[in-house]
Amino acid sequence: MKSKNDITHATRLLPGNDLKKTIGNFAKAHDIKAGWIATCVGSLTEYSIRFANQQVASTGSGHFEILSLSGTVSVHGLHLHITIADGAGPAFGGHLMEGCKIYTTAEVVLIESPNFIFTREKDGSTPWKELRITKK
């Protein structure tokens, strides 16, 4: 939920941009320490998505609509999930990986909280770096 102190950022990604890399670069350029995706719509010509409980990403090319993008954004790391649909309509999604190339556009709105810092650290509960939330 957005509070009155939160900052709203909006950007448009251009054809050929890598969705994950560009969001990460945006977070660095704006020094976002704790943010999350509010909405994203657009299209891709290539996808790279790691499906649930898989070790490697699945990739494909064609024309895909971005139906949703959600997750946390920080200069300390991103954790994003995406849902896309192909030209016939079937949708699929998973963990956003580098390699998702913008077709026409991606309109991204994200919210930043000045009250927290999001980092990614191994905590022993899983083999991955997980979200650590620190209150400022």
Side-chain angles (χ1 to χ4, degrees), residues 115-128:
N115 302 317
F116 299 98
I117 298 172
F118 293 167
T119 56
R120 312 241 19 121
E121 301 174 14
K122 286 191 173 188
D123 64 7
S125 66
T126 73
W128 299 280

Side-chain angles (χ1 to χ4, degrees), residues 42-53:
S43 56
L44 302 174
T45 55
E46 296 177 36
Y47 71 83
S48 181
I49 299 173
R50 186 173 52 76
F51 300 129
N53 204 34

Side-chain angles (χ1 to χ4, degrees), residues 8-23:
T8 303
H9 298 272
T11 189
R12 176 179 173 238
L13 283 59
L14 301 174
N17 287 156
D18 182 288
L19 182 58
K20 185 174 182 181
K21 280 184 186 179
T22 306
I23 292 171

Side-chain angles (χ1 to χ4, degrees), residues 49-97:
I49 299 173
R50 186 173 52 76
F51 300 129
N53 204 34
Q54 301 300 310
Q55 297 299 314
V56 297
S58 294
T59 60
S61 60
H63 293 99
F64 306 92
E65 294 290 339
I66 300 170
L67 303 179
S68 68
L69 181 69
S70 62
T72 54
V73 176
S74 170
V75 295
H76 304 291
L78 309 174
H79 185 190
L80 301 171
H81 288 193
I82 189 168
T83 304
I84 61 175
D86 68 18
F92 55 95
H95 190 86
L96 178 71
M97 306 297 287

